[in-house]
């Protein structure tokens, strides 16, 4: 099931590789060929035949026995043990050390992963490696991205061009190298077509399509409210995923006090209740909002106080961070108004292009000039707004959403395979395609 594939890491085993002292080189050669083990080595693994000698020298020797520690996918372990048995060696599964997260390796074989839009995968991988205990939101992130892009790039004509571009990437042999991006680009184009139909925009306000929902330049306030509602829905989803991840990382007690866990979710709920109470004019709802907000702030303060180490200095630090969390929540929600702002910008640019086109349109050479203005104006708007919408959707994804979903960085599984390059061996499974990680692991990232 693709959904399950996206959310589940491969089960990893902590193992000890044990062999007679005289057979440790043969054992390591077999381990290298299997590409099923990430070795714990006191140095950065290299490539080439000399790497086996270096790893053998790094083994722990006790009498006539040599041993090395590492990680291996559970489903690969029986096959590895069968290959090592003729050498008098073995791969022994150990109890996982408490507080140590295994390296991350995502499920799914390579042919199926080619069906996954690579940019959807890279949305997550560029931000972080998903910690082993966390849910992987790659597919959800891809859907959220194209929806935000479409709201800012709402034009049925230009969106259709993106759909055509995606289909060309899918079916043209000359564009085979970019084929894995086709579904992502096509999805962004379809989202732009959808919002363009709602706005009545087809290469601008040409009148080809009726306005089914609202005209951005005529009704900016409803568009702004819609952007805030969409932002609230996406933030709610990020709090749900963040709470699940906090539970999986440290249990319910940890999630209860985390800003990106239950405490943060309660504060967000209180903001929603406050808005509901004000719009409905219901004092009871406002009271409930106040109680929920107070509970959320108390839980959050306790968590921040514990993180700071306690004492007067810790209390001051927790107080400052508590205020910062409240301000941040408001700014994060307001940040989604850019979905409306850049949608208005796109509509305004296309309005200028269309007005210039209609002003020039007369028989003779002016008609040719009008066509040139229309084509050039659309091309410039397509390039400029496509770039801006792409960047802004990425910014919202990273700073407003992912900062709540992830609190730690994981470590990618790197199979030890000196012949093909350290960390690049093929396990028969599918590590996410992404650049190597930084070793930095920030506690929690928020927009400064």
């Amino acid at each position: 099931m693709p959904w399950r594939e996206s959310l589940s890491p491969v089960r990893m085993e902590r193992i000890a590789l044990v062999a007679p002292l005289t057979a440790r080189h043969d054992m390591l050669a077999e381990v290298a060929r299997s590409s099923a083990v990430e070795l714990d080595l006191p140095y950065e693994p290299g490539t080439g035949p000399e790497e086996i000698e270096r790893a053998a020298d790094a083994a722990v020797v006790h009498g006539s026995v040599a041993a090395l520690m590492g990680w291996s996918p559970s489903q690969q372990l029986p096959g590895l043990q069968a290959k090592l048995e003729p050498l008098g060696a073995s791969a022994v599964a150990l109890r996982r050390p408490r507080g140590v997260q295994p390296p991350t390796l995502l499920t799914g074989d390579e042919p199926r992963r080619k069906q996954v839009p690579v940019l959807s995968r890279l949305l997550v991988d560029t931000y972080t490696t998903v910690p082993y205990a966390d849910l992987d939101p790659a597919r959800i992130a891809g859907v959220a991205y194209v929806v935000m892009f479409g709201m800012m790039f709402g034009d049925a004509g230009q969106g259709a061009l993106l759909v055509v571009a995606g289909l060309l990437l899918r079916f043209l042999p000359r564009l085979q190298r970019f084929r894995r991006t086709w579904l992502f680009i096509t999805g962004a184009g379809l989202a732009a077509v959808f919002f363009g139909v709602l706005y009545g925009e087809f290469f601008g306000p040409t009148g080809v399509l009726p306005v089914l929902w609202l005209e951005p330049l005529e009704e900016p306030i409803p568009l702004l409210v819609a952007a805030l509602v969409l932002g609230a829905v996406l933030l709610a989803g990020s709090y749900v995923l963040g709470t699940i991840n906090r539970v999986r990382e440290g249990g319910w007690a940890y999630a209860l006090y985390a800003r990106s866990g239950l405490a943060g979710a309660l504060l967000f709920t209180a903001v929603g209740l406050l808005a509901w109470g004000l719009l409905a004019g219901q004092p009871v709802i406002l009271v409930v909002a106040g109680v929920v907000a107070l509970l959320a702030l108390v839980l959050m303060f306790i968590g921040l106080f514990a993180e700071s180490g306690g004492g007067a200095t810790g209390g001051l630090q927790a107080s400052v961070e508590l205020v910062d969390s409240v301000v941040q929540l408001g700014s994060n929600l307001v940040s989604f108004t850019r979905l409306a702002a850049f949608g208005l910008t796109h509509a305004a640019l296309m309005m200028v292009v269309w007005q210039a086109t209609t002003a020039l349109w007369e028989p003779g050479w002016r008609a040719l000039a009008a066509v040139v203005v229309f084509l050039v104006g659309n091309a410039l708007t397509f390039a400029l707004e496509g770039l801006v919408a792409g960047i802004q959707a990425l910014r919202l994804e990273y700073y407003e959403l992912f900062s709540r979903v992830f609190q730690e960085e994981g470590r990618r599984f790197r199979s030890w395979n000196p012949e093909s390059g350290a960390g690049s061996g093929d396990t028969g499974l599918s590590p996410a395609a992404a650049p190597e990680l930084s070793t930095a692991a920030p506690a929690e990232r928020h927009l400064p």
Side-chain angles (χ1 to χ4, degrees), residues 27-59:
M27 176 188 71
L28 288 170
E30 192 60 54
V31 168
R33 281 191 291 270
S34 74
S35 296
V37 176
E38 178 185 292
L39 287 180
D40 287 347
L41 296 170
Y43 59 87
E44 183 67 23
T47 59
E50 69 280 359
E51 172 60 20
I52 291 180
E53 184 65 36
R54 292 179 68 197
D57 292 340

Side-chain angles (χ1 to χ4, degrees), residues 234-427:
L234 293 175
L235 281 173
S238 70
Y239 273 115
V240 170
L241 290 176
T243 300
I244 294 172
N245 285 344
R246 300 300 85 77
V247 172
R248 292 166 66 121
E249 291 165 0
W252 284 101
Y254 176 55
L256 182 62
Y257 302 103
R259 286 183 288 179
S260 57
L262 281 172
L266 283 174
L267 183 60
F268 180 74
T269 302
V271 173
L273 290 173
L274 177 63
W276 181 20
L278 291 175
L279 291 174
Q282 295 290 335
V284 175
I285 299 177
L286 294 177
V287 172
V288 173
V291 172
V292 173
L294 180 61
L295 175 61
L297 292 174
V298 170
L299 291 174
M300 200 177 295
F301 180 83
I302 293 173
L304 293 171
F305 185 73
E307 286 180 9
S308 65
T313 303
L316 179 60
Q317 178 181 329
S319 301
V320 173
E321 291 185 358
L322 184 65
V323 173
D324 178 67
S325 298
V326 175
V327 173
Q328 235 175 41
L329 177 58
S331 65
N332 291 159
L333 183 58
V334 172
S335 187
F336 280 93
T337 58
R338 68 189 64 218
L339 297 176
F342 287 103
L344 288 169
T345 301
H346 187 273
L349 289 173
M350 292 311 302
M351 172 67 80
V352 171
V353 172
W354 182 242
Q355 287 179 344
T357 301
T358 54
L360 286 172
W361 185 263
E362 288 184 9
W365 67 270
R366 290 174 65 90
L368 178 61
V371 171
V372 171
V373 168
F374 182 78
L375 293 177
V376 172
N378 268 275
L380 291 175
T381 303
F382 182 91
L384 177 62
E385 286 297 305
L387 179 63
V388 169
I391 292 173
Q392 292 301 323
L394 189 65
R395 182 207 175 280
L396 290 169
E397 192 99 59
Y398 281 1
Y399 288 103
E400 271 61 57
L401 304 179
F402 282 2
S403 63
R404 288 170 172 80
V405 175
F406 300 111
Q407 190 167 348
E408 301 175 349
E409 289 199 41
R411 180 174 60 82
R412 193 170 310 286
F413 177 81
R414 301 175 62 193
S415 60
W416 185 74
N417 189 342
E419 296 301 323
S420 64
S424 61
D426 181 10
T427 64

